[in-house]
Amino acid sequence: MRGDRDTGQLNDFAGYQLAYDVRMLVCQAYELLSRYPDGLPDGFRDHTEDALLEAWLVHLRLLDEFLRLGQRTRGNAIARDWFREWRSTGFLTRDERTAIEAQVSHINWSRKKWSREQRPPWGDIRRLTEACCRELLRFFAEVEGACSRRHEAFDKSLDLAEKFVQQRLTRCDCPLGT
């Protein structure tokens, strides 16, 4: 199935869908870090903060799968759709991936109630978001080297990933209410 997409289709998808996922990841991380510069609290004030954290976890998981998977599953787009030679083990550890899966993908028996004594493996929002952005930047560079016509579609994602890594992301990049 990978070979059935031409450069125009790949660029359209990357320019919209991948850019959306990267924007959601970095903007949700930005918001969480703005609210909790000293790390996540033991509990949130209300359901909107739970939703913010879970949305960030979903996008973190989606982008790890996008970069890591060597074969498409369930019709999902993967990095190798743009560059067949791409190889990555992803940026999440097995423990992080398992805990995130239990938290956001299903009502799961292994979901934990995190506490001060037992912190979630995703508690370092900056580190995990930067790891994702750095792996995306590596992917964008490899695509550029192989096919510059496909690389152009990653401009929005590239800009946001670079800004997050360089700690230059601002509220203007992530306006509320949009």
Side-chain angles (χ1 to χ4, degrees):
M1 292 284 278
R2 212 177 6 249
D4 63 350
R5 307 267 190 264
D6 65 29
T7 295
Q9 291 171 313
L10 291 169
N11 285 353
D12 288 346
F13 187 89
Y16 177 75
Q17 190 60 52
L18 188 63
Y20 168 82
D21 287 312
V22 172
R23 182 169 50 92
M24 289 298 100
L25 176 81
V26 300
C27 290
Q28 290 155 355
Y30 177 85
E31 187 62 31
L32 286 164
L33 290 165
S34 295
R35 291 179 187 201
Y36 302 106
D38 299 324
L40 292 175
D42 291 336
F44 290 125
R45 294 178 292 228
D46 61 36
H47 65 282
T48 61
E49 291 186 343
D50 284 318
L52 177 62
L53 175 66
E54 289 196 0
W56 174 74
L57 289 170
V58 165
H59 287 94
L60 194 68
R61 176 180 162 265
L62 289 173
L63 290 166
D64 182 69
E65 278 187 1
F66 172 80
L67 292 164
R68 178 176 46 84
L69 294 180
Q71 290 184 290
R72 199 182 297 150
T73 59
R74 301 178 308 266
N76 295 341
I78 59 173
R80 291 177 81 183
D81 288 337
W82 281 264
F83 182 53
R84 289 178 195 255
E85 288 77 33
W86 172 253
R87 298 293 181 270
S88 176
T89 57
F91 54 87
L92 294 173
T93 66
R94 183 182 313 274
D95 288 346
E96 290 164 344
R97 196 174 300 122
T98 299
I100 290 170
E101 288 279 337
Q103 188 70 24
V104 299
S105 63
H106 303 287
I107 297 175
N108 191 296
W109 288 108
S110 62
R111 185 183 289 180
K112 293 187 167 105
K113 183 176 190 302
W114 304 105
S115 67
R116 186 165 306 188
E117 294 75 35
Q118 185 177 16
R119 302 302 291 172
W122 60 75
D124 191 341
I125 292 164
R126 177 163 305 285
R127 179 186 63 79
L128 289 173
T129 306
E130 279 186 13
C132 177
C133 289
R134 288 182 193 286
E135 192 67 350
L136 283 165
L137 293 171
R138 186 174 77 85
F139 168 67
F140 300 151
E142 288 195 25
V143 171
E144 181 179 31
C147 184
S148 61
R149 286 186 21 234
R150 288 186 178 173
H151 179 264
E152 294 168 5
F154 298 116
D155 286 350
K156 291 177 192 173
S157 299
L158 176 72
D159 180 56
L160 288 169
E162 284 179 338
K163 283 181 176 179
F164 191 88
V165 167
Q166 297 166 0
Q167 297 186 22
R168 294 185 303 113
L169 201 67
T170 68
R171 178 64 65 204
C172 293
D173 298 306
C174 301
L176 294 174
T178 60

